[in-house]
Amino acid sequence: SAVISQKPSRDICQRGTSLTIQCQVDSQVTMMFWYRQQPGQSLTLIATANQGSEATYESGFVIDKFPISRPNLTFSTLTVSNMSPEDSSIYLCSVDGGSGYEQFFGPGTRLTVL
Amino acid sequence: GIQVEQSPPDLILQEGANSTLRCNFSDSVNNLQWFHQNPWGQLINLFYIPSGTKQNGRLSATTVATERYSLLYISSSQTTDSGVYFCAVELDDYKLSFGAGTTVTVRA
């Protein structure tokens, strides 16, 4: 299984600011994803982070609000832009090795927006 | 889109008890995973089980893909089993769609 780290593990931010979350994997992986878990809720997919091209966003999520980078096969960033209290959530990255492989999740970034 | 329903939403157990969690899904899926989210928010992989039965210690899971459901069994529950259990189905392009989860509380 892949070892995934995220930075920061938690943060408290002011309304209107932006935060960039980093996801690092210890091996090259085909697929990387970003999920959001709002308080008391389940996980929702934000986007697929594509290596070398623009991310693919799910319905309800837009690039201006959640810009994503994936410069190589082991690293990705998610930025939460112009934050509001409604963005307070746990943000998790995940990796998938492809067909026949299970998906693994990072430890998450717990974001609180005041 | 696909619907993933988990039941029950909440479960309170006395230590040592057995339980069954259920996951129903509305369409054919490529694969299915069970996760345990601990109180610190970490998602722990339990089973990768597109079909059949698997066992890992006190936990086991069965997926009947043709009938679109999966079951997670917890035997001889311990307080460390507390947390939220999610099933997630794999759609095209390896995307996961999660159920709402079952919150399990095991009392000593």
Side-chain angles (χ1 to χ4, degrees):
Chain A
S1 65
V3 177
I4 308 166
S5 60
Q6 286 186 231
K7 292 181 182 180
S9 58
R10 59 176 61 231
D11 208 341
I12 301 173
C13 300
Q14 295 298 317
R15 180 196 300 260
T17 62
S18 298
L19 177 72
T20 296
I21 303 168
Q22 298 179 5
C23 178
Q24 179 75 54
V25 190
D26 69 340
S27 58
Q28 294 185 344
V29 293
T30 307
M31 315 292 292
M32 292 183 77
F33 303 93
W34 287 97
Y35 290 81
R36 180 177 74 180
Q37 186 178 25
Q38 295 177 299
Q41 303 296 311
S42 185
L43 282 78
T44 301
L45 179 64
I46 297 172
T48 304
N50 300 310
Q51 195 265 327
S53 64
E54 203 167 273
T56 305
Y57 290 84
E58 298 301 304
S59 176
F61 297 96
V62 296
I63 187 172
D64 290 346
K65 177 66 175 176
F66 298 102
I68 289 171
S69 77
R70 188 170 176 200
N72 56 53
L73 293 176
T74 64
F75 185 78
S76 179
T77 66
L78 168 74
T79 299
V80 186
S81 303
N82 188 25
M83 289 184 286
S84 67
E86 292 70 37
D87 295 318
S88 297
S89 298
I90 300 174
Y91 292 86
L92 302 100
C93 68
S94 71
V95 302
D96 193 308
S99 179
Y101 291 88
E102 59 190 296
Q103 197 161 129
F104 289 91
F105 283 78
T109 296
R110 191 178 296 266
L111 172 62
T112 301
V113 184
L114 302 178
Chain B
I2 192 168
Q3 304 298 313
V4 183
E5 297 180 350
Q6 291 186 242
S7 60
D10 299 281
L11 191 58
I12 299 175
L13 301 171
Q14 202 63 35
E15 198 168 31
N18 304 327
S19 64
T20 301
L21 284 59
R22 188 176 180 102
C23 174
N24 293 332
F25 43 98
S26 60
D27 203 349
S28 300
V29 297
N30 295 329
N31 282 304
L32 185 144
Q33 290 188 238
W34 283 97
F35 297 92
H36 175 212
Q37 189 169 40
N38 64 24
W40 297 271
Q42 175 73 53
L43 273 177
I44 299 166
N45 289 44
L46 297 179
F47 294 102
Y48 176 76
I49 185 166
S51 63
T53 297
K54 291 185 177 180
Q55 180 153 9
N56 185 1
R58 296 181 296 102
L59 301 181
S60 64
T62 295
T63 296
V64 184
T66 54
E67 297 187 21
R68 299 177 183 168
Y69 73 89
S70 184
L71 303 174
L72 179 69
Y73 306 95
I74 305 174
S75 64
S76 304
S77 58
Q78 300 177 358
T79 56
T80 52
D81 294 331
S82 296
V84 184
Y85 291 80
F86 290 105
C87 76
V89 298
E90 183 185 306
L91 310 175
D92 292 339
D93 297 329
Y94 310 104
K95 301 175 184 179
L96 293 183
S97 181
F98 281 76
T102 294
T103 301
V104 173
T105 303
V106 182
R107 292 179 173 166

